[in-house]
C-alpha cells in the first residue's frame, strides 16, 4: 500500500515537472518574440516581462520536487563521498529534517499570505491586473510537495544501508553513464 502511494506521488511530481518544462519552452517562445519585435519592429511587449516573472515562480515550484526525488539537484558530492557511510547517513537525516521544516514553514507562511490575497481581493500592480493569488498560489502547494519529497528522502536515509549509492544510481538513471531503466532500481 505504501509503495503504491509513493508511486502515485512520484507520478504526480513527474507531471508537475512536465508542466514546468512546458512552461520553460513557452517562456523561451514569448521571450524570443519580445526580443525580435523589439529589434525589428521597435515594438515592446511589456506583458512578456511580467509573464516571465510569474512563469519562473511556477517553474521553480513545479519542477523542484521531481528534481529532488531524482537527486538531480546541486549537491556537494566531493564532501559527502569522502565521509564514512555512517556520517553520510546522519548528515542526510539532519539535512532532510531541516529541509522538511523549512518547506513546511514556507508552505505555512505563503499559505497564510495566499488566504490574505483571496480575502482582500488583492490585485497585481502590474500591466496585467490579475488577482495576486494566481501567480503565487503555487508556492504553498509546491512547498508542501517538496516537504513530502524530503520525507521520502528521509525515509531512504532511515531504511537503507547505503542511501548515497541509491541516490547516485537514481541521479544517473537514464543517462549514458547510468541505468537505462529507473524502475529496476526500486
Amino acid at each position: 500500500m505504501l509503495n503504491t502511494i509513493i508511486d502515485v506521488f512520484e507520478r504526480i511530481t513527474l507531471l508537475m515537472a512536465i508542466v514546468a518544462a512546458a512552461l520553460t519552452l513557452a517562456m523561451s517562445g514569448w521571450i524570443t518574440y519580445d526580443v525580435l519585435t523589439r529589434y525589428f519592429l521597435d515594438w515592446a511587449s511589456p506583458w512578456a516581462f511580467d509573464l516571465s516573472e510569474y512563469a519562473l515562480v511556477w517553474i521553480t515550484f513545479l519542477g523542484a520536487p521531481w528534481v529532488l526525488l531524482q537527486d538531480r539537484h546541486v549537491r556537494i558530492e566531493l564532501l559527502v563521498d569522502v565521509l564514512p557511510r555512517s556520517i553520510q547517513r546522519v548528515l542526510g537525516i539532519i539535512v532532510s529534517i531541516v529541509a522538511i521544516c523549512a518547506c513546511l514553514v514556507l508552505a505555512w507562511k505563503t499559505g497564510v499570505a495566499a488566504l490574505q490575497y483571496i480575502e482582500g481581493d488583492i490585485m497585481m500592480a502590474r500591466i496585467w491586473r490579475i488577482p495576486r493569488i494566481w501567480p503565487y498560489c503555487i508556492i504553498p502547494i509546491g512547498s508542501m510537495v517538496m516537504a513530502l519529497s524530503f520525507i521520502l528522502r528521509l525515509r531512504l536515509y532511515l531504511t537503507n544501508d547505503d542511501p548515497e549509492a541509491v541516490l547516485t544510481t537514481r541521479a544517473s538513471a537514464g543517462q549514458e553513464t547510468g541505468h537505462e531503466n529507473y524502475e529496476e532500481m526500486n
Side-chain angles (χ1 to χ4, degrees):
M1 177 69 175
L2 180 61
N3 287 338
T4 303
I5 293 170
I6 292 171
D7 187 48
V8 168
F9 178 75
E10 288 177 347
R11 290 179 194 275
I12 290 169
T13 63
L14 175 60
L15 179 61
M16 290 170 60
I18 291 169
V19 172
L23 273 173
T24 303
L25 181 62
M27 187 171 67
S28 67
W30 73 67
I31 288 173
T32 301
Y33 166 81
D34 185 44
V35 168
L36 292 176
T37 57
R38 279 178 194 256
Y39 184 77
F40 290 113
L41 304 175
D42 196 30
W43 176 32
S45 304
W47 56 267
F49 181 77
D50 287 352
L51 192 57
S52 295
E53 256 184 35
Y54 306 150
L56 284 172
V57 173
W58 278 74
I59 290 166
T60 300
F61 285 92
L62 286 171
W66 180 82
V67 171
L68 177 67
L69 288 176
Q70 302 304 309
D71 199 50
R72 294 188 179 177
H73 53 90
V74 176
R75 290 179 35 148
I76 307 173
E77 291 178 347
L78 183 65
L79 173 64
V80 174
D81 289 347
V82 298
L83 295 173
R85 194 180 295 177
S86 60
I87 294 185
Q88 288 177 352
R89 288 185 77 194
V90 169
L91 190 60
I93 290 167
I94 291 169
V95 168
S96 295
I97 291 170
V98 169
I100 290 165
C101 293
C103 289
L104 290 175
V105 168
L106 183 61
W108 168 48
K109 291 292 192 178
T110 58
V112 168
L115 290 176
Q116 291 172 345
Y117 295 158
I118 292 169
E119 290 171 356
D121 196 29
I122 299 173
M123 305 296 276
M124 295 297 292
R126 300 291 186 117
I127 290 174
W128 291 4
R129 295 280 302 159
I130 60 172
R132 186 174 216 133
I133 186 65
W134 294 119
Y136 300 118
C137 67
I138 194 62
I139 298 173
I141 295 166
S143 297
M144 283 301 299
V145 176
M146 276 297 288
L148 292 171
S149 297
F150 273 110
I151 289 170
L152 289 180
R153 191 175 183 91
L154 177 62
R155 178 179 177 264
L156 175 69
Y157 278 104
L158 293 172
T159 61
N160 197 291
D161 292 334
D162 192 3
E164 291 300 325
V166 172
L167 292 172
T168 300
T169 303
R170 191 177 288 172
S172 63
Q175 298 178 15
E176 293 175 1
T177 59
H179 296 284
E180 292 300 318
N181 190 349
Y182 174 74
E183 297 298 322
E184 292 174 4
M185 296 182 309
N186 291 330

